[in-house]
Each structure stands twice: as C-alpha cells, then as structure tokens.
Amino acid sequence: MAKTAVITGVSSFVGCHLARTFAVTGYRVVAVTSQARDAYEGVRAERLASIPDSVTFAVCDLTDADALAALYDAHKPDVWVQHAGYAINYASADYDLQASLAMNVDALEPLYKTLSGTGCGVLVTGTSMEYSTSDTANTEDDVCMPDMPYGVSKLMETAEASRLAQEYDVPTRVARIYIPVGVYDAPGKLMDFVIRQLKAGEVAELSPCTQKRDFLGVDDLC
C-alpha cells in the first residue's frame, strides 16, 4: 500500500511543491491549510490550484492539540512534513518573534505527543537564516548565530524538534533550505523580478550585486 504523507503549509511556495512532489512519487498526500481553500487569493490560490486532484485537503489549526490528534487519527500518516510556520515579514528586522512562537515552536510538543509510538516520522523545514551571514559557505557543524529574528525563530523550532524527537522517540530530520526559486514563488522576489523585466524587454535595476547567494531550483529541493 502507498505510504501517506501529511504536509502542512501547502499554500506557501515550497509547501505546494512538496505536496506535488510527494504525490507524483506515489504517496497518498494530505495537504493541510489553516483555512478553507476558497479563502485564499492571489499566488496562494494559484499554488493550491497547482496541487494534483489526487491530493486530499484538510483544514487544521496546528496550534490546537485536539485538532492535531484528530488529523492524525483520520489519516494515519507515515511521514509528517512540518512546513507550516509564521513567516509574515520574515525578511525584515521587524519580524514579530513573539507572534511566531505559537506556530513555530509551541505547536511542536502536541505534535510529537500525538506521533509518539505511531512509527510516523517528521521532516522539519528549517532555513539558511539559522546561520549567521558569512562570506564562505555554511557547513552543518557551523555555530548557529542568526542575524535576523526569523532565523532565531526557526532555530528555536529546529532545536525544539531535535529535543522532542529524543523525548518522544519520533524519527526526525531537519532540512535547512537555501533560497529556492521556481514557479509560484512570491511575486517581486529577485529571480521573479529579473525574469519579468527581461520577458518584458525592460531594464532590471539592481544593487551592485556584490552579495553571494546560493539559489536552488524548488524541484531539485523537493
């Protein structure tokens, strides 16, 4: 029988591609959103529409322990992809760290309690922002010293997931993602902006481009 994957945060750029990839590789996918599909607009609605018809959608408040348990009982997943998170204004120093704790950190313990003893494993999506800015490539054993509050929040999430994995004996892996690009990315980001300007035959005005960044195609990531 096909294995089942619950994937949270599917209205996001990476989340919708994860749902699509798991589905086409043979998983029964349960795509979790925080509200009904018809409540989404713009690029988020486009992302949800891109997910194959074979995927089952479920609405769940991931901060509600009872709702989490009901979601597990309804679908009995083999793997849980924890991609949902608080990402409003994530690239800014004004990111609301306090507001992020409920989704990025506090919601993890009820999840691990629910999954304990079930055999279901967890994949947590982290971020390159958990490391500090550096002129050289990161390695996994670098000391994590985030420069931005979003990085602090995600580091707290991955550290808590590691702790809970041991406490509740739930197999867990963390994937720290480095700047994925592709279709359904947020409008106005660098690659989207440059491509749109070039397609329109217009100049793409940029900074001096002295920054070094690692970009990864979202399909390769998935």
Side-chain angles (χ1 to χ4, degrees):
M1 294 180 62
K3 291 185 176 181
T4 299
V6 164
I7 302 176
T8 69
V10 294
S11 69
S12 70
F13 168 49
V14 171
C16 75
H17 284 279
L18 284 170
R20 292 170 61 192
T21 300
F22 271 80
V24 300
T25 53
Y27 277 81
R28 292 182 299 178
V29 173
V30 180
V32 180
T33 56
S34 60
Q35 53 189 343
R37 292 176 67 182
D38 58 9
Y40 291 87
E41 299 178 343
V43 70
R44 288 188 176 272
E46 293 176 27
R47 291 165 181 162
L48 296 178
S50 76
I51 296 174
D53 292 338
S54 61
V55 170
T56 299
F57 279 82
V59 176
C60 183
D61 177 358
L62 297 174
T63 65
D64 183 332
D66 291 336
L68 273 173
L71 181 63
Y72 175 83
D73 288 340
H75 301 285
K76 298 293 193 297
D78 301 280
V79 61
W80 185 292
V81 182
Q82 185 71 358
H83 183 64
Y86 185 88
I88 297 173
N89 211 24
Y90 77 94
S92 170
D94 294 327
Y95 175 80
D96 192 335
L97 183 59
Q98 190 62 41
S100 75
L101 295 180
M103 175 60 71
N104 295 3
V105 182
D106 294 345
L108 290 176
E109 184 147 19
L111 172 62
Y112 275 83
K113 283 183 178 179
T114 296
L115 299 183
S116 181
T118 66
C120 180
V122 176
L123 173 62
V124 178
T125 55
T127 172
S128 59
M129 294 175 72
E130 294 176 57
Y131 298 104
S132 60
T133 301
S134 172
D135 290 330
T136 58
N138 298 125
T139 63
E140 287 193 358
D141 56 2
D142 282 355
V143 174
C144 291
M145 295 291 289
D147 299 310
M148 302 288 282
Y150 176 70
V152 173
S153 173
K154 293 297 287 184
L155 179 58
M156 292 170 67
E157 178 183 22
T158 57
E160 178 69 348
S162 297
R163 183 186 73 82
L164 294 169
Q166 295 184 52
E167 180 174 348
Y168 292 103
D169 194 24
V170 175
T172 299
R173 296 292 183 270
V174 169
R176 286 182 175 151
I177 298 172
Y178 280 72
I179 318 181
V181 294
V183 293
Y184 306 118
D185 201 353
K189 291 177 71 175
L190 174 63
M191 291 299 188
D192 176 79
F193 167 70
V194 171
I195 290 170
R196 288 177 185 273
Q197 292 297 100
L198 292 176
K199 288 177 68 175
E202 299 178 1
V203 173
E205 295 186 0
L206 303 173
S207 71
C209 295
T210 57
Q211 308 96 322
K212 296 178 181 179
R213 294 291 186 272
D214 232 351
F215 292 96
L216 176 64
V218 69
D219 290 334
D220 292 333
L221 167 66
C222 290

